[in-house]
Amino acid sequence: MENLGRVTPATALVLEALLSADGIWGLQIVKDVGKKPGTVYPILERLEAAGWVKSEWDSTETRKGPRRRYYRLLAEAQPLAREYVATRKAKSAQSAGRPSPALLEGQWLGA
Amino acid sequence: MKNTDGLLALCLALTPAALREVREEQWRADLRDGPAMGISEESLLLAAARSSTSARFQDVLHRGGTLLSRLQNGGNMKVAFGIAGTTAVLAVGAAAAIQFGHPATTETLDRTPVAFIAVPGPSPDLTPASGLAPVAVEDKRDIRCYYRADLSSEYQIEGSAETPRPPYMRTGIEEVGFNAKANPTPEDPSSGLLQVADPINQCSRIWDSGDMILNGINQGLVPDDFVSPPPGVPAEHTLTEPAKDQNGNPLYADPNIRTFGNYIPVLTECVIDGKVGVIPGTAEVCSELGIPSLAN
């Protein structure tokens, strides 16, 4: 499992969706996250390439035709994913009502 | 959608062969079920175009694992630019078709930008980046100091069990008093680092410390008649003559900071992956490596 490096708010939302179920359909994640497929799918592909997520075909589907692709957050990635989600939520709550650090000419407000 | 199959075929043509089968079934299932969930075909096709472009670009970059080093060769550069250029053209074509192929639709078009690759197409006269204009870098907090004029080789240190090192060492200037636990931008990997005004001086500090010389790999950069101090021990002469960079600037503003006196080669500032790379070599080294120099 590789370090993700930069974790964007959208990535945290995708991780949150993945944490909500053992396996979740890609389009359901798109719906839950409220972002475009062109935002969500590259994140899922990045997570899979980094060894955080495994994708597999829906094995329960009975309909004919192409199968849906499901994504599952691997067990070893779940603690870090929870941490990222919690950090993002805390930051969102903190940032409400305070100026952006960029307004402070390089001086971090939180330091 | 009238042209869905054609656009899907274009995306599949861009997708590396190893991924094509999985992607095709996944995209077809999404296109079948997406509209019922309120997700438009256009947005799904744009996602497919973006995904296939990204996968193709990664494939080009990683094919053989040595593309970057191959870029130093003029002939291979033509091939690489040709592949990437074709990829870019196909991607632009796919996205344009998706955006403009359905004027009668009443749905709001997905305006998510596709990550296009701005790479020149093949040219019979292409030479290795000799005409690259210098490029400015806005964010100079994370500086790469390269061990050699080689952008891709990784180095296994003799007698060491550590994993191979990347071709460069990263350096920056930490902000005094920065509290990582209260970092307002945890997603920014350069949080807590200040802008580096003089990357050559910054990397010269590491060369001076001796950490940039990797035995068995790049000690050939050190002239035979240069006397290096023992590892971790400052040279005697630095007591009276603190080391300076190639521009004559002291390595540290504080004269009380002792320098080591290890060899510092001539360094040049180039730009790679949007970051400043400080590479051993003269002013031509950037163009020789196929990358732009840093604009001042």
Side-chain angles (χ1 to χ4, degrees), chain A residues 31 38 41 45 67 71 91, chain B residues 25 30 37 50-51 184:
Chain A
K31 195 79 176 165
Y41 274 121
E45 285 160 14
R67 294 164 292 176
Y71 292 84
K91 183 174 180 288
Chain B
E25 187 168 356
D30 283 357
M37 298 179 71
R50 185 173 181 178
S51 173

Side-chain angles (χ1 to χ4, degrees), chain A residues 47-64:
Chain A
L47 290 171
E48 187 165 23
W52 284 54
V53 159
K54 185 170 172 49
S55 67
E56 49 209 8
W57 297 117
D58 179 16
S59 57
T60 62
E61 208 168 6
T62 53
R63 74 162 60 82
K64 287 181 181 176

Side-chain angles (χ1 to χ4, degrees), chain A residues 38 41-46 48-49 71, chain B residues 10-24 26-27 46-64 67 83-84 86-88 90-91 114-117:
Chain A
Y41 274 121
I43 292 172
L44 288 168
E45 285 160 14
R46 181 172 157 235
E48 187 165 23
Y71 292 84
Chain B
L10 198 53
C11 295
L12 286 168
L14 268 175
T15 305
L19 295 171
R20 205 168 287 154
E21 195 177 342
V22 169
R23 291 279 191 268
E24 180 174 16
Q26 179 179 11
W27 291 338
L46 272 173
R50 185 173 181 178
S51 173
S52 56
T53 307
S54 171
R56 171 60 67 186
F57 190 58
Q58 292 298 320
D59 184 57
V60 168
L61 279 182
H62 294 291
R63 189 175 300 156
L67 183 66
I83 294 168
T86 304
T87 301
L90 281 171
V114 177
F116 294 124
I117 310 156

Side-chain angles (χ1 to χ4, degrees), chain B residues 130-142:
Chain B
S130 56
L132 282 178
V135 168
V137 173
E138 195 172 319
D139 187 349
K140 293 196 279 190
R141 294 177 295 172
D142 183 1

Side-chain angles (χ1 to χ4, degrees), chain B residues 166-240:
Chain B
Y168 52 84
M169 185 181 286
R170 294 169 61 195
T171 181
I173 302 173
E174 290 185 352
E175 180 184 355
V176 176
F178 177 74
N179 181 354
K181 289 182 179 175
N183 178 8
T185 54
E187 72 281 4
D188 178 359
S190 298
S191 292
L193 297 178
L194 301 172
Q195 295 291 337
V196 175
D198 188 345
I200 283 182
N201 186 277
Q202 183 71 19
C203 286
S204 296
R205 297 177 185 184
I206 306 180
W207 281 97
D208 171 72
S209 73
D211 288 343
M212 290 299 291
I213 294 294
L214 303 179
N215 286 328
I217 290 159
N218 69 348
Q219 75 269 37
L221 293 171
V222 183
D224 290 341
D225 59 352
F226 185 87
V227 181
S228 299
V233 179
E236 188 69 25
H237 65 84
T238 60
L239 271 175
T240 52

